[in-house]
Amino acid sequence: MPLTPLDIHNKEFSRRIRGYDEDEVNEFLDQVIKDYEIVIRENKELQSQLLAVQERLDHFANIEETLSKTIIVAQEAADEVKNNAKKEAQLIVKEAEKNADRIVNESLAKSRKIAMEVEELKKQASIYRARFRTLVEAQLDLLSHDGWESLEDRERHENREREREREREIKEIY
């Protein structure tokens, strides 16, 4: 069981004839008590900081997982759209053989619409990948950085980067 400052303060030493100077021992013990209290206080502060950092890390891990799931859903949606487009194109070809020009014109219009949707989904998937890559790089950079005191500065920087990314996305869309 570790010593407490009170244990040090209450420690009694037996007396002997040519022992240590009692005042010197008491002064030294007082200094040890003060230093020990400082170490205990610092240890508690560091444990508190570690807990806060762990909570943030867990939060970012959750964000990463959510982004990963979002990317998978977007990719599945893109694959489904592609598969549906292929099936629809086959049906259009069969109808085109039956109804000639009228159905050919309809199929071309639908094909253009689907191509635009596929391109839009590709853009969205690219945006999601870029966001995820930025998040992962920021996390790796955070983990490789020695000082935790710059965490808030990095968070502000990441927020600015996300804003710039959103602005780029808006510009790409419009």
Side-chain angles (χ1 to χ4, degrees), residues 117-170:
E117 289 175 359
V118 168
E119 285 301 315
E120 182 61 30
L121 287 173
K122 284 181 183 179
K123 286 180 185 178
Q124 289 177 3
S126 175
I127 290 167
Y128 283 121
R129 284 190 202 108
R131 285 181 180 170
F132 184 70
R133 184 179 298 113
T134 302
L135 176 65
V136 170
E137 288 172 354
Q139 291 300 312
L140 289 173
D141 186 43
L142 177 65
L143 291 175
S144 66
H145 191 19
D146 292 336
W148 290 104
E149 61 274 353
S150 66
L151 186 60
E152 292 179 8
D153 292 337
R154 288 181 184 277
E155 186 174 328
R156 280 188 229 112
H157 177 69
E158 289 172 8
N159 286 339
R160 286 192 296 265
E161 286 298 320
R162 278 191 226 113
E163 281 298 318
R164 288 185 191 130
E165 182 67 54
R166 283 189 207 124
E167 290 174 4
R168 278 188 241 129
E169 292 170 16
I170 291 170

Side-chain angles (χ1 to χ4, degrees), residues 16-17 27 40 52 63 67 75 78 80 101 106 109 146 151:
R16 297 203 176 158
I17 295 178
E27 285 178 26
I40 288 172
I63 290 173
L67 286 175
Q75 187 63 44
E80 186 176 333
D101 291 337
E106 289 176 5
D146 292 336
L151 186 60

